[in-house]
Amino acid sequence: MRVLYLVFNEGYTASAGEELSRVDLMAEAIRSARMLRAALPEEAEAVGLLAMMRLWSRRAARTGADGVLVPLEEQDRSLWDVEAIEEGRALLDGVWNRGEAGRYQVEAAIAAVHASSEVSDRAGPVRIAVLYLWLERLVPTAPVRLARVVAVARAYGAERGAALLDELGRRHRWGDDPLVRRRERVVRAHLSEMVGDTGAAEVLYREAAALGANRVEGRYLLERADRLR
């Protein structure tokens, strides 16, 4: 499951290259996850893993006609794969009450809220923040912690998100992984922009762009920096 999760994530957002996603890796991860679920039908986490992959079926909306990255909140939801998302919801519903949920079920639950109309209401962001706190307890890693910061900022405001980011930075070292360091700068840049500190945000966006090898993400970050000049 861990290997399939990593393959799917690399396909969803490639760590390097000219394309945001690698459809071949995503398709192979989903195919293999279906095989795993068929072999272990009582394994709730295997079902949760497949559910998460299907709930993330919004590839067509993640870049515009010009190839520029489109953030989740700005995406055209009519381009999402509704059938795949409904399959993911059904898979998750079938295992959610089988005892204590594991990481893949929790990640699928987060994706399910993102895919619902509830995400635009107050309840959606709060639920996502709570689910990320749960996920952090299951998977205490830097990417999960940074994702929780974003969720908290959306639910409770940029100031609270920034305070959490500073607290986590003091308690946990982000490490030398360039992908983690880039993500930390992107999160801090978004928070700085939200509170009106455009100068700091511009610098952080440029630093983040320099740390990544995915050209689509890098172009998006530089364009955000340019708009703040």
Side-chain angles (χ1 to χ4, degrees):
M1 286 189 285
R2 176 65 174 162
V3 169
L4 295 182
Y5 177 82
L6 292 172
V7 170
F8 182 83
N9 272 274
E10 176 61 22
Y12 193 75
T13 303
S15 56
E18 300 291 337
E19 301 292 335
L20 181 64
S21 303
R22 287 193 54 185
V23 180
D24 58 332
L25 291 181
M26 293 172 65
E28 180 58 26
I30 292 170
R31 186 187 73 85
S32 298
R34 289 194 189 281
M35 293 173 60
L36 181 63
R37 183 214 174 190
L40 301 171
E42 299 304 315
E43 175 54 64
E45 274 291 80
V47 179
L49 177 62
L50 179 58
M52 181 213 73
M53 292 178 181
R54 302 308 282 152
L55 282 158
W56 281 10
S57 295
R58 48 180 185 256
R59 183 180 61 84
R62 296 181 69 219
T63 54
D66 54 0
V68 174
L69 186 148
V70 179
L72 176 61
E73 58 273 12
E74 299 175 16
Q75 289 175 12
D76 180 354
R77 290 186 169 228
S78 68
L79 299 176
W80 290 7
D81 188 338
V82 175
E83 290 186 6
I85 290 170
E86 288 303 315
E87 179 191 0
R89 285 199 182 102
L91 288 166
L92 181 60
D93 288 345
V95 296
W96 188 248
N97 292 319
R98 286 193 194 173
E100 185 174 351
R103 68 168 295 183
Y104 301 119
Q105 293 168 78
V106 175
E107 291 208 32
I110 292 169
V113 180
H114 276 301
S116 72
S117 58
E118 181 186 32
V119 75
S120 61
D121 300 328
R122 170 68 175 173
V126 170
R127 181 171 296 181
I128 290 171
V130 171
L131 286 167
Y132 266 116
L133 177 59
W134 185 357
L135 182 62
E136 184 184 354
R137 290 172 178 171
L138 294 172
V139 192
T141 62
V144 171
R145 292 184 178 116
L146 288 169
R148 182 163 79 90
V149 169
V150 174
V152 166
R154 286 175 176 163
Y156 303 107
E159 292 82 1
R160 188 159 167 182
L164 177 60
L165 182 62
D166 290 339
E167 177 189 348
L168 291 173
R170 288 190 295 269
R171 287 166 48 195
H172 310 283
R173 298 179 66 88
W174 298 121
D176 297 325
D177 185 338
L179 295 179
V180 172
R181 287 190 287 127
R182 179 181 61 178
R183 177 65 172 163
E184 187 271 337
R185 281 163 176 75
V186 170
V187 171
R188 196 173 289 280
H190 276 295
L191 296 176
S192 296
E193 186 176 359
M194 288 172 69
V195 299
D197 190 351
T198 57
E202 180 188 351
V203 171
L204 288 163
Y205 280 131
R206 295 191 189 283
E207 289 180 357
L211 288 169
N214 184 292
R215 301 293 180 84
V216 176
E217 283 192 318
R219 187 163 64 248
Y220 166 76
L221 294 170
L222 289 175
E223 287 181 358
R224 287 196 72 103
D226 289 342
R227 288 203 298 267
L228 295 174
R229 280 181 176 175

